[in-house]
Amino acid sequence: MPVTRERPPQHRPARRPAGPSSRRRPGPRHNLWPYALITPAIGGMLYLLVYPLGRAVLISLQDFRLRQLISGDAEFVGLRNYRTLLSDPRFWEVAGRTFVFMAINVVLIMAISTLVALMTERLGRAGRTGVLCALVLAWAMPVVAATTVFQWLFHSEFGIVNWSLTSLGFDSFDRYPWFANGTAAFAILIVLVVWQSVPFAAITLYSALTTVPTELYESARLDGASGSRVFRSVTFPMLRPIFMLVFSLEVIWTFKAFVQIWVMTRGGPGDATTILPVYAVQTALSSQRYDLGSAASMVTVVLMSGVLVLYFRQMFRQEDEPR
């Protein structure tokens, strides 16, 4: 009888159930969906930020006054507006005052916010919650409302500051006109800007402080390092990028502090509180020289960018140096 060999059973791979991994990968046209989702945000940003900037650059290169604003037939004059602006002695006086205003504010903001953040980190839970709530409430107060409150605080007749100083025996402050004195008005604006800026910087630095490992602090204290030494050798090197970020944001904030000055003093008395943004608005509105006002705004942007570039170069240079 012929012997028939049985074939070994063939093991076929079991079919995998249809799932997300077995589906076809989306084609190239499906990858456009994320871009379509962010297109409205990008369009809004271009319209609200890039377009005004480009429009200001265009106006600064034209002879753009009240007649051109109505008719729309502005003539290109190249860099003539910039030459006129840079040859104005008042512009350089205002630019110097702007840098002084920025430097004082940024130094005070960084110092006070760092101390507040370090203090908040050492508080208990209840104290920390109270300080953070107070900072958030101060930060959330609208700029115009805060400026109006400071106006009433330093009012010559009804202000609580004059009343308090007079009650303490300083009779010279009876009906003292704070906003008629250039130095006093400048100091009040500095206090206002610092008061509005410290909450954001302090909360940001406190959030960064919570990410520093406690083992580093314990090791530094075991080596006998003081509090200031721990901050210089441990805290600041660990949080250098956050300090750079806060510093750059405060430079931008103080450089463009227009609302506070315009609501409180409008740049007066005289030019005592006039900085570059206020100067640009005054130039555009007083004599309808919108071209010179736009040129002043562009110079302000260039100067602010230059300050930030110099600071970042110095910081990166220090990081690259061998220790």
Side-chain angles (χ1 to χ4, degrees):
M1 295 178 63
V3 179
T4 59
R5 298 180 179 178
E6 295 182 357
R7 295 181 181 180
Q10 295 181 358
H11 297 282
R12 295 182 181 181
R15 292 184 179 181
R16 296 181 180 179
S21 59
S22 62
R23 296 176 182 175
R24 292 183 179 180
R25 294 182 178 180
R29 60 181 179 181
H30 294 284
N31 292 334
L32 299 177
W33 180 243
Y35 300 98
L37 293 176
I38 65 174
T39 298
I42 296 177
M45 183 187 67
L46 293 176
Y47 180 76
L48 296 176
L49 298 178
V50 179
Y51 173 75
L53 181 62
R55 181 63 175 165
V57 172
L58 179 63
I59 292 176
S60 67
L61 301 175
Q62 296 175 331
D63 182 12
F64 202 96
R65 310 190 187 195
L66 183 60
R67 185 180 65 84
Q68 286 77 15
L69 178 64
I70 299 174
S71 61
D73 54 346
E75 177 186 359
F76 280 92
V77 294
L79 300 177
R80 188 181 71 183
N81 293 321
Y82 291 93
R83 289 193 295 266
T84 303
L85 185 70
L86 298 178
S87 61
D88 184 7
R90 181 171 176 256
F91 169 79
W92 293 109
E93 180 183 352
V94 171
R97 188 181 302 108
T98 303
F99 279 100
V100 172
F101 182 80
M102 179 202 68
I104 296 175
N105 277 290
V106 172
V107 170
L108 291 176
I109 291 168
M110 296 302 296
I112 296 175
S113 59
T114 301
L115 294 176
V116 172
L118 292 173
M119 179 197 69
T120 306
E121 186 190 22
R122 286 160 174 77
L123 291 175
R125 183 174 182 180
R128 188 185 308 118
T129 303
V131 171
L132 292 177
C133 290
L135 291 174
V136 170
L137 290 176
W139 180 45
M141 190 172 185
V143 177
V144 177
T147 305
T148 305
V149 169
F150 268 72
Q151 280 182 310
W152 279 104
L153 287 175
F154 292 92
H155 195 274
S156 59
E157 295 185 11
F158 309 108
I160 192 174
V161 175
N162 282 353
W163 176 82
S164 301
L165 293 174
T166 306
S167 301
L168 293 175
F170 299 97
D171 296 333
S172 58
F173 288 97
D174 184 22
R175 298 177 182 270
Y176 183 78
W178 293 92
F179 300 108
N181 188 318
T183 305
F186 192 82
I188 293 171
L189 285 169
I190 290 176
V191 173
L192 172 61
V193 173
V194 171
W195 182 81
Q196 291 177 327
S197 304
V198 162
F200 170 78
I203 293 174
T204 304
L205 294 178
Y206 165 73
S207 302
L209 286 173
T210 58
T211 63
V212 180
T214 56
E215 294 81 4
L216 297 179
Y217 291 133
E218 295 175 357
S219 301
R221 293 190 182 96
L222 289 176
D223 292 338
S226 60
S228 59
R229 182 64 179 177
V230 170
F231 179 80
R232 294 196 308 269
S233 302
V234 178
T235 306
F236 185 76
M238 290 288 296
L239 304 181
R240 186 188 297 269
I242 303 300
F243 275 96
M244 292 174 60
L245 174 64
V246 174
F247 178 88
S248 61
L249 292 177
E250 296 306 329
V251 167
I252 296 172
W253 167 260
T254 56
F255 225 104
K256 66 180 187 65
F258 166 77
V259 177
Q260 299 92 328
I261 299 176
W262 191 257
V263 172
M264 186 174 289
T265 63
R266 291 187 178 269
D271 280 341
T273 58
T274 301
I275 61 175
L276 284 175
V278 179
Y279 173 83
V281 174
Q282 288 177 345
T283 303
L285 297 181
S286 61
S287 56
Q288 283 79 41
R289 290 301 304 269
Y290 305 107
D291 46 6
L292 290 179
S294 299
S297 300
M298 293 301 102
V299 173
T300 302
V301 172
V302 172
L303 292 177
M304 181 176 61
S305 303
V307 171
L308 293 176
V309 168
L310 291 176
Y311 175 75
F312 283 128
R313 286 187 59 185
Q314 183 66 22
M315 293 294 293
F316 289 135
R317 188 178 303 171
Q318 292 178 0
E319 289 183 353
D320 295 337
E321 290 179 356
R323 299 180 181 178

